[in-house]
Structures are given as structure tokens and as C-alpha cells.
Amino acid sequence: DIVLTQSPGTLSLSPGERATLSCRASQSVTSSYLAWYQQKAGQAPRLLIYVASIRATGIPDRFSGSGSGTDFTLTINSLEPEDCAVYYCQHFGRLWTFGQGTKVEIK
Amino acid sequence: EVQLLESGGGLEQPGGSLRLSCAASGFAFSSFAMSWVRLAPGKGLEWVSSLSDSGGSTYYADSVKGRFTISRDNSKNTLYLQMNRLSGEDTAAYYCARAASGSFDYWGQGTLVTVSS
């Protein structure tokens, strides 16, 4: 089974800075089935990015996804206080798999 | 507007059973695969189970296989998760989610399941 490893575990940045979140797959995966989610405390997860780089409906363009093969990245440009959350990557292959998450803290 | 509303969570003893429901509205329920995803305290998201649009194909995480059963009633626009032989490791918020092209594009607000004696 494919394992998704996210890094770093926690990212602490100031408003206006850029956040770069990594998701590494244990073997090459198809970008068509790589997604990113945001989960704020006490809320349901929200789909941010699907097919590795397509923003979901209503997602601000400061969120972008990239990557292929085993290495994928979620970039948040110009961080805002409301971006404080845990971010998960997810892949669909034989079954569905989530990474362990990256917590983004705003200083 | 797509809405997913879970219910049925609560406190249950180890070894007990619970049945979760997810009422869907705002979209053609019978045209979409549906899933359950959970978030245990202090842990990350874990995919639990998925069901095809017709209900003919089911999928389970190894951690729940043989104990949980996913089903749907397309006439009632409702998704279910029957959970048997519960253990403390099943304590989590359970989310209903619409599956689309391998990702989950809409989520409910979740229902909390606590397994404790």
C-alpha cells in the first residue's frame, strides 16, 4: 500500500510569508488522484486542491499545488491568519490514503 | 447547495454497536460514490470506508474490515455506517464525504463517537 509522508510536521510562519508543504509518496503515484485538504480546529476538512494542481471551487489563488511522481507540494502564498490549520494530502489508488498532516501556525 | 448531515454518534461501551447516518441534499445522491472518514483525538484523518453510487461495491480500511458495514438508501438520500465490536481505537469524529474522481469534495460537520466503559 502507498504511504504518504508529509513534512514538516509543524510550520510556524508570520502573516505575509510563504508556506511550502511537502507530501512524499512511498512509490510513484498518478497526479490525477492527488488532493490536498485544509482542516481548521473544530471544523470539517475542506478540499483545496485536486488532480495535484487544480483549485477547488472558492479556494483563493494564494493556494497552489504542484508535483508529480512521488513528490508533491502545497504552497500558500502570503499567509493570512485564517490559514492556521492542519493540511493533509490524500491519494486514491487501490484505496484512499491520507498523509499524517502538517500543522501551519501563524506567529 | 450540497449538504451532508451526520447523526447517530454517542457514547458506547467496548464491544457495542452504533449506526451512523448521513442525510444528503442539494445534489443527485444516487450519482455519487460516498465515503466515511474519521479523525481520532490527536491523530490525522483516516479513510474508513467507501461505497459506489449504486451501492454494489464497498471498500474498507483494514482497521475496520469485518466490523463495519457501509450502506446507502438512494430513495432516502442517506448513507449509513453500521459499526460493530467497537473498541477505544474507534473513538473519533466521523465525517461523511462525497467522493468525486478520487478526492472528497464535500464533507459533513461530523458526528462524535466515543467508546469507553
Side-chain angles (χ1 to χ4, degrees):
Chain A
D1 290 350
I2 291 173
V3 175
L4 300 177
T5 301
Q6 293 186 239
S7 62
T10 302
L11 202 50
S12 185
L13 296 167
S14 299
E17 290 192 301
R18 173 183 297 168
T20 302
L21 286 66
S22 172
C23 176
R24 178 161 291 177
S26 57
Q27 57 187 277
S28 184
V29 300
T30 171
S31 302
S32 297
Y33 296 124
L34 195 287
W36 289 91
Y37 301 85
Q38 175 194 64
Q39 186 170 29
K40 298 181 180 180
Q43 296 186 18
R46 177 173 70 151
L47 177 65
L48 295 176
I49 302 285
Y50 62 100
V51 192
S53 62
I54 302 175
R55 276 188 297 277
T57 302
I59 302 304
D61 60 8
R62 67 177 183 276
F63 291 91
S64 63
S66 63
S68 63
T70 60
D71 292 305
F72 297 87
T73 300
L74 175 70
T75 301
I76 312 173
N77 286 308
S78 191
L79 273 169
E80 298 188 4
E82 66 196 48
D83 298 332
C84 179
V86 180
Y87 293 83
Y88 296 93
C89 58
Q90 174 255 317
H91 178 258
F92 169 63
R94 188 177 64 84
L95 294 173
W96 293 259
T97 303
F98 286 94
Q100 82 277 21
T102 290
K103 184 177 183 180
V104 173
E105 298 176 339
I106 310 298
K107 293 178 183 176
Chain B
E1 178 190 6
V2 172
Q3 290 194 334
L4 299 169
L5 183 61
E6 303 93 336
S7 60
L11 176 63
E12 182 56 62
Q13 293 186 341
S17 298
L18 280 173
R19 188 197 198 200
L20 305 184
S21 298
C22 171
S25 60
F27 66 102
F29 180 73
S30 61
S31 297
F32 286 86
M34 297 294 295
S35 299
W36 290 96
V37 177
R38 68 185 180 185
L39 180 68
K43 297 195 175 181
L45 293 175
E46 179 188 16
W47 169 76
V48 173
S49 182
S50 293
L51 179 65
S52 63
D53 51 4
S54 66
S57 298
T58 58
Y59 309 88
Y60 298 96
D62 287 344
S63 58
V64 306
K65 196 175 297 181
R67 299 188 300 121
F68 289 12
T69 301
I70 191 171
S71 62
R72 65 193 296 162
D73 185 338
N74 285 344
S75 69
K76 295 182 178 179
N77 289 351
T78 303
L79 176 72
Y80 303 100
L81 185 67
Q82 177 66 44
M83 305 187 296
N84 298 332
R85 296 181 358 235
L86 287 164
S87 74
E89 295 189 348
D90 297 317
T91 293
Y94 284 75
Y95 298 97
C96 163
R98 191 176 81 168
S101 301
S103 60
F104 306 112
D105 60 352
Y106 288 94
W107 298 68
Q109 284 305 304
T111 187
L112 189 60
V113 171
T114 303
V115 183
S116 175
S117 55

